[in-house]
Amino acid sequence: RSVSLLELLQTLVRVAGKKNVVPRFAPARPGDVKHSLADTERSRMLLGFEAGFSLTEGLTRLWKWRNGASHA
């Protein structure tokens, strides 16, 4: 499924437990990609890969791992 940058930001803010994060909107720049959607069918066919959890769960796991990891 497609996810907008705004939806991704809102999910990250929720996962990180942040408040008062306000996105800054600006005019498009030359070279900006307006839409991008990955087709994972080939990786499923060749590698047997299928996502095991949702974007929210994946970001939650990443956030917990990153904040629990040792940063030497």
Side-chain angles (χ1 to χ4, degrees):
R1 101 175 165 82
S2 162
V3 177
S4 70
L5 285 177
L6 186 56
E7 185 180 352
L8 177 61
L9 174 65
Q10 291 168 339
T11 303
L12 286 168
V13 166
R14 191 171 53 252
V15 164
K18 303 292 181 184
K19 295 181 182 176
N20 301 323
V21 175
V22 179
R24 287 188 321 206
F25 296 96
R29 299 173 297 180
D32 280 355
V33 176
K34 293 183 185 209
H35 301 283
S36 177
L37 182 62
D39 179 1
T40 59
E41 180 62 20
R42 189 165 183 197
S43 64
R44 187 190 65 75
M45 288 174 39
L46 295 176
L47 306 172
F49 171 80
E50 290 187 56
F53 35 81
S54 69
L55 174 65
T56 301
E57 184 178 346
L59 290 174
T60 300
R61 288 179 180 205
L62 176 63
W63 184 260
K64 287 179 180 177
W65 171 82
R66 175 67 174 92
N67 289 304
S70 158
H71 306 296

